Amino acid sequence: MAAQALALLREVARLEAPLEELRALHSVLQAVPLNELREQAAELRLGPLFSLLNENHREKTALCVSILERLLQAMEPVHMARNLRVDLQRGLIHPDDSVKILTLSQIGRIVENSDAVTEILNNAELLKQIVYCIGGENLSVAKAAIKSLSRISLTQAGLEALFESNLLDDLKSVMKTNDIVRYRVYELIVEISSVSPESLNYCTTSGLVTQLLRELTGEDVLVRATCIEMVTSLAYTHHGRQYLAQEGVIDQISNIIVGADSDPFSSFYLPGFVKFFGNLAVMDSPQQICERYPIFVEKVFEMTESQDPTMTGVAVDTVGILGSNVEGKQVLQKTGTRFERLLMRIGHQSKNAPVELKIRCLDAISSLLYLPPEQQTDDLLRMTESWFSALSRDPLELFRGISSQPFPELHCAALKVFTAIANQPWAQKLMFNSPGFVEYVVDRSVEHDKASKDAKYELVKALANSKTIAEIFGNPNYLRLRTYLSEGPYYVKPVSTTAVEGAE
C-alpha cells in the first residue's frame, strides 16, 4: 500500500495539472498505516506537492493540505526542519489559512523536539513569519503561532532569540495591528512569564509586561476587563504573585475596587477584579489576603445581593473558591451572621435562579461544605452542619427536589452537594432519618445519562468508604452500598426471561 502511494506521488510530480492523481493519492493514503509511511519517509519527495499549493485552485489546495498533513506526520521533525525550511517559510505567508495551520502544526512538532528546535532558532526569517502569524485574522492561526513561540521560549536559546534580537521589534510591530492582536501578544508574554522567574525577567525587561500593567490600571474600563484575566493567569505562579506584589499592582487593583462605587461603568471590570482576589486568596493565604484587602470580602458580600446575575454569579463562584480550604472556611465563619445571610441567599438562588446560576450556587455549596476526613474536627463538623442548616428550612429536601428536575447538569450538581457532605456523620444521620433517602441513593433507575450515573456513583463511593457509615446506616444498608460500588456505575440488572413450551 505504501509503495502504491509512493508511485502516485511520483506521478503527481511528473504531471502539470494532476487533479485525478491527487484524488487517488489522497484516497490511498487514508488506508496506509503511519508506521509503513515512516519506513518510506526517506524516499518522500514533497517539493511538487508544496509547489501545487501556489496554484490558485481550491480543490487542489485542499487535497494537497490533507495529503501533506499525512505525509509530514511520517517524517522525523529534525529531517523536516533541515530539508523543508523554504517550504515551511512559504507556508506561513500563504494566502490560504489551511496552509498556514498545516505549516504551524508541523512547526509545533519541530519545536517539541529538542534536536530539531535548534534548526528553527537558527532561521530568523521563519521565526519572524511565526510572529507575524499572531496578527492574522484567523484565530486558529494566531493560537498555533502563540503555542509555537511559547514552546520555543522554554529554552535559554529560545528566550534570547525572542527577546534579544530584532524579533522583539517584530513582536512590538505586530501589536500595533489592532486591540485584538495586542491582547494576543500579551497572552503570549504572560504564558512565557509564567514558566520561571528567569522567563518573567526577560518579559519585564522587554517592557511588554509593564505595558500590560499600565493598561490594567488605566482609564479604559473594557481594556481593564480584558487585562485582568491575563494578570490573573500570571498570578497563578508564585514568582508571578511576588512580582505583582513588589510592583504594587495588587494594591492598585484593591484601590480600584474601593473606587468602584463611584464608577458607573465598574460592572465591566469588577467581576474580573474580584475573581483575581479570590484566586489570590486560595493560592496564598485566605486569611492574610482578606485581612490585608478587606474591600475584597466586602465587595463579595455586596455582589451576592446584586440584581445583576453576572455579579451574583462571580460572587458565588468566589465564595466557593474562598471556602474550598479550611483556612478560607474559617475566614468566612468569622463574618458571623453576615455569612449566614449569604448562605440563605445562595440556598434561595439554588432553587429559584436561572439554571446556570443554580448550578454555580450548588457548586459553591459543595465546595463550602466539603471536609476531608483528616480535617473533620468537632468544631469544623459543627460549623459545616450549621452552614447546611442555614441554606434552607429543610436543605436535604431542597437538594432532593433540585435533583429530580429534568436537567442533567442540575441533577449532577445536586448529587455533588450530597457527595460533599456524605463522609460527615451529622449528614449521614440526616440522610438515614429522611424517609426514602437511602432507597433513592441505591436506586439506579433515577439516572439515565453517563454524567448522572457517574455522579451517583461518586455519592455511593463517598458513603460506602466512610468509617462511620455502617454504624449510622446499619449493616444491611451498608452492604447495599458496597454491592452498588462493586457493580460499578453502569450496572444493569439482567431481566430474567422464562421459556414457555410451544411459544413461537
Side-chain angles (χ1 to χ4, degrees), residues 46-103:
L46 303 185
L49 283 172
F50 277 107
S51 299
L52 286 170
L53 289 171
N54 298 322
E55 295 184 19
N56 189 17
H57 189 292
R58 186 176 293 178
E59 189 184 355
K60 273 188 199 173
T61 300
L63 284 166
C64 284
V65 165
S66 186
I67 291 165
L68 281 167
E69 192 171 18
R70 185 78 176 147
L71 294 175
L72 290 170
Q73 282 296 114
M75 275 192 177
E76 287 300 319
V78 175
H79 178 84
M80 195 160 41
R82 287 175 184 161
N83 297 288
L84 299 176
R85 291 170 59 137
V86 175
D87 295 310
L88 291 171
Q89 275 173 225
R90 285 181 185 151
L92 291 177
I93 56 172
H94 196 280
D96 192 305
D97 285 333
S98 68
V99 178
K100 285 181 185 154
I101 290 169
L102 166 72
T103 308

Side-chain angles (χ1 to χ4, degrees), residues 411-459:
H411 179 71
C412 292
L415 286 175
K416 216 166 123 186
V417 173
F418 292 139
T419 306
I421 58 175
N423 65 3
Q424 300 176 49
W426 62 262
Q428 293 170 3
K429 287 170 188 168
L430 270 181
M431 291 175 183
F432 181 67
N433 292 322
S434 175
F437 193 88
V438 177
E439 282 67 27
Y440 163 75
V441 170
V442 294
D443 182 3
R444 291 183 180 273
S445 67
V446 179
E447 284 74 35
H448 303 292
D449 58 282
K450 183 182 181 298
S452 298
K453 289 175 195 286
D454 288 339
K456 173 66 81 68
Y457 188 73
E458 288 304 312
L459 169 57

